[in-house]
Amino acid sequence: MLETSFRQRAIGWLQAGPMVIIFVGFFLIPLLFVIVVSFWDYNDYEMLPVFSGRGYTDTFESCLDQLPQFCTILRTYGSTLKFCLIVWSLTLVIGFTVAYFLAFHVRSRTWQIGLSLLCTIPFWTSNVIRMIAWIPLLGRNGLVNNALVGLKIVDRPLEWLLFSEFSVVLAFVHLFTFFMVVPIFNSMIRIDKALIEAAYDSGASGFQTLVNVVIPLSKPGIVIGSIFVITIVMGDFITIGVMGGQQIASAGKIIQTRLDAIQFPAAAANAVILLAATMMIIAAMTRLVDIRKEL
């Protein structure tokens, strides 16, 4: 009996072993290096392996002096959080709607799989190409502006369609909605259809069934999709740079700027701050829904 239990535990560790090695080698050890480097000193030319909090103090330099106004770094993090909240809301609404249609209105499993694969077509090209594809559409002389002017809806081309916060949000939603669709769809197809029929038989309306049955049972997928979208948007600087015309600041852009200036400890400190902010958001979400219990 004891030998059997030991063998089962050994098999379990062997099965988890590759994942543990990958997790430690590609996440924990690099993260440890980033945290250590964030507490090193630096000058204009090199890192100095001496304990220092300069990376953090330089990041928030003059913030106290500017109170009650927000300093540049806090406004940048606030702007990143604003983009994160807007993109999360839009991708959640669109992703939930698409997943609901696939799970409950497409009866054939073959069609469900086929339409799900259809959603992956944009991912056959790189993110940069998909972002650049918006420029001929949204530019001053793009198809959208030409159509609006041609139909006399506007007198002159709209300047805010491209290289603006609007184009950044549009690109984010275009790029990352799929990360919301898949987890929610995976949760919805596990819902026992008998529960929905029972709700209708009990006199519940479609909206009541959605709110009291579908959404609660889809919470694991909603939380997982939200984690995907939030973590990507919080650290993204390429999309904001391309679609914002290099005129919109972001937390990821701060890190890139520090790296370009060879200020690696300061870049590491900003990475740790960004990671902490992202982890707090994820922790708040997982407190609402215990993913391990729901899965």
Side-chain angles (χ1 to χ4, degrees), residues 99-111:
Y100 185 88
F101 173 78
L102 291 175
F104 297 109
H105 291 275
V106 179
R107 300 296 181 184
S108 167
R109 182 56 58 92
T110 303
W111 274 103

Side-chain angles (χ1 to χ4, degrees), residues 90-109 111-113 115-116 119 177-191 193 196 210 214-215 217-222 225:
L90 293 175
T91 55
L92 176 59
V93 171
I94 298 172
F96 188 91
T97 305
V98 173
Y100 185 88
F101 173 78
L102 291 175
F104 297 109
H105 291 275
V106 179
R107 300 296 181 184
S108 167
R109 182 56 58 92
W111 274 103
Q112 285 180 337
I113 296 173
L115 292 174
S116 299
C119 295
T177 296
F178 181 72
F179 292 103
M180 192 70 83
V181 172
V182 173
I184 297 176
F185 173 69
N186 189 46
S187 292
M188 283 184 175
I189 59 174
R190 296 182 180 184
I191 297 176
K193 301 297 187 296
I196 297 177
L210 176 69
V214 177
I215 290 178
L217 295 176
S218 302
K219 284 193 294 185
I222 292 173

Side-chain angles (χ1 to χ4, degrees), residues 53-66:
R54 184 183 171 192
Y56 295 92
T57 56
D58 282 358
T59 299
F60 295 103
E61 185 180 15
S62 76
C63 282
L64 290 177
D65 298 336
Q66 297 182 29

Side-chain angles (χ1 to χ4, degrees), residues 88 180 222-232 278 282 285-286 291:
W88 172 75
M180 192 70 83
I222 292 173
V223 172
I224 293 172
S226 300
I227 291 172
F228 284 153
V229 172
I230 289 171
T231 51
I232 295 173
T278 306
I282 294 174
M285 286 190 162
T286 53
I291 299 178

Side-chain angles (χ1 to χ4, degrees), residues 266-288:
N270 278 279
V272 172
I273 294 168
L274 179 61
L275 177 64
T278 306
M279 293 301 294
M280 284 192 288
I281 297 174
I282 294 174
M285 286 190 162
T286 53
R287 285 183 68 86
L288 296 175

Side-chain angles (χ1 to χ4, degrees), residues 21-41:
I21 293 172
I22 292 173
F23 184 73
V24 172
F26 290 93
F27 180 74
L28 288 184
I29 292 178
L31 178 61
L32 180 63
F33 283 149
V34 170
I35 294 173
V36 170
V37 171
S38 73
F39 286 101
W40 283 5
D41 199 359

Side-chain angles (χ1 to χ4, degrees), residues 122 125-135 171 174-175 236 238-239 242-243:
T125 60
S126 72
N127 283 3
V128 175
I129 292 176
R130 279 182 284 158
M131 281 186 283
I132 293 175
W134 284 106
I135 294 177
H174 170 220
L175 294 174
D236 186 282
I238 296 177
T239 306
V242 173
M243 299 304 292

